[in-house]
Amino acid sequence: MQVARASNPKGTTAMWVRDRLDGLWHDEDFADWYSRDGRPGLSPAQLATVCVLQFMLGLSDRQAAEAVRCRIDFKYSLAMELNDPGFHHGVLADFRERLTHDDRADRLLDLALARL
């Protein structure tokens, strides 16, 4: 957090998202989207936040994944360690595909609106 503030004293959009919307989603909100078998996956709450940032900043999937890998403010927004390697850009398309099933996008929006 100190590194993000030192490198961006006025803040950025990504930092604003965490400062104001932290806790908007929790991984438990997505529990029925993923199987419980296999190795742990990426945090769906973080992927939802990346999708919000991606939309706000007009980024492609590759650009958003690269920002997660390289940008301190994105790592701050997602509460990631600076040495976290991020994820492959294809994960975002998979996450959005999951949003299209069973009114999940509407449920996510309703949850966000209730928490806001």
Side-chain angles (χ1 to χ4, degrees), residues 4-35:
R5 291 279 172 219
S7 63
N8 299 290
K10 293 183 180 181
T12 67
T13 301
M15 293 169 72
W16 180 92
V17 166
R18 179 177 177 190
D19 291 344
R20 288 166 182 81
L21 303 180
D22 189 36
L24 188 59
W25 295 293
H26 307 285
D27 287 341
E28 298 80 31
D29 299 329
F30 304 88
D32 61 330
W33 296 25
Y34 296 90
S35 86

Side-chain angles (χ1 to χ4, degrees), residues 31-47:
D32 61 330
W33 296 25
Y34 296 90
S35 86
R36 298 189 189 277
D37 298 336
R39 65 183 182 92
L42 298 165
S43 162
Q46 286 179 325
L47 292 173

Side-chain angles (χ1 to χ4, degrees), residues 39-90:
R39 65 183 182 92
L42 298 165
S43 162
Q46 286 179 325
L47 292 173
T49 302
V50 171
C51 287
V52 168
L53 288 168
Q54 180 181 13
F55 175 78
M56 289 175 69
L57 300 172
L59 303 175
S60 69
D61 286 353
R62 285 183 190 272
Q63 291 170 323
E66 181 75 5
V68 170
R69 187 177 70 77
C70 297
R71 288 181 52 173
I72 293 170
D73 60 333
F74 268 62
K75 289 187 184 288
Y76 171 85
S77 181
L78 301 170
M80 297 171 82
E81 296 293 326
L82 288 177
N83 62 351
D84 191 305
F87 52 83
H88 187 271
H89 64 87

